[in-house]
Amino acid sequence: MPDFLVPRFSDAPLAFSGTRLAEVSGKETRPDKTNKRWHEISLFRTDSGRFVVAIRFRCETTFDDPYDDAEALDSPADVVQFLNEFDPCEHIRGWPRPSHAQQDDRLRAALTANFDRLVAQLIGSRAEFAERV
């Protein structure tokens, strides 16, 4: 019986046994608390030695839909690459009207900056994710 069942938007969930290594949420770290959108990221190590990154997007308004994404990866380097390439604004509608372009730009910049802070929190203190020089 798997320990975890991680949902994914438009895909089958990931089921695995393992350990949750870390979890971070952008809900409380949003610089602008009027922004009702944020990400949550969890990092797992499976019993087979792989890593699973689960990313959740949450929205307290009707403007955007929440979604879940997850990826199974083979190494810490793969985790870092996945998180660096992940687009935190890919699924959001944001401000769709051209007259709201500035608000949309600010929203996307804030979501991206907050996501980057979460990634730093998630892997920043874990030696296995450090770049070796």
Side-chain angles (χ1 to χ4, degrees):
M1 188 67 127
D3 297 328
F4 297 99
L5 185 64
V6 179
R8 295 189 291 180
F9 178 76
S10 296
D11 209 347
L14 290 178
F16 58 93
S17 294
T19 305
R20 185 187 321 264
L21 300 176
E23 188 169 55
V24 292
S25 173
K27 184 173 184 177
E28 299 307 320
T29 61
R30 296 170 290 165
D32 177 5
K33 299 295 191 261
T34 62
N35 178 3
K36 303 293 186 188
R37 301 164 178 93
W38 68 92
H39 290 86
E40 299 169 347
I41 311 172
S42 297
L43 176 64
F44 304 88
R45 184 173 317 200
T46 68
D47 287 347
S48 66
R50 296 187 79 198
F51 294 91
V52 172
V53 176
I55 300 172
R56 294 169 300 282
F57 173 75
R58 299 297 177 247
C59 183
E60 293 178 335
T61 71
T62 58
F63 301 119
D64 284 301
D65 298 322
Y67 72 87
D68 297 278
D69 197 0
E71 191 74 28
L73 303 152
D74 293 323
S75 70
D78 292 339
V79 169
V80 172
Q81 181 178 353
F82 172 75
L83 289 169
N84 283 333
E85 292 175 357
F86 186 84
D87 179 0
C89 298
E90 179 181 1
H91 294 286
I92 69 165
R93 287 189 298 269
W95 293 82
R97 293 185 185 178
S99 60
H100 293 124
Q102 288 181 337
Q103 292 98 321
D104 192 63
D105 289 345
R106 282 195 303 271
L107 169 66
R108 291 172 190 278
L111 281 171
T112 300
N114 203 28
F115 185 83
D116 291 346
R117 278 191 294 276
L118 292 176
V119 169
Q121 284 178 340
L122 186 77
I123 63 174
S125 63
R126 303 199 60 87
E128 67 261 44
F129 294 97
E131 181 179 348
R132 304 288 183 216
V133 293

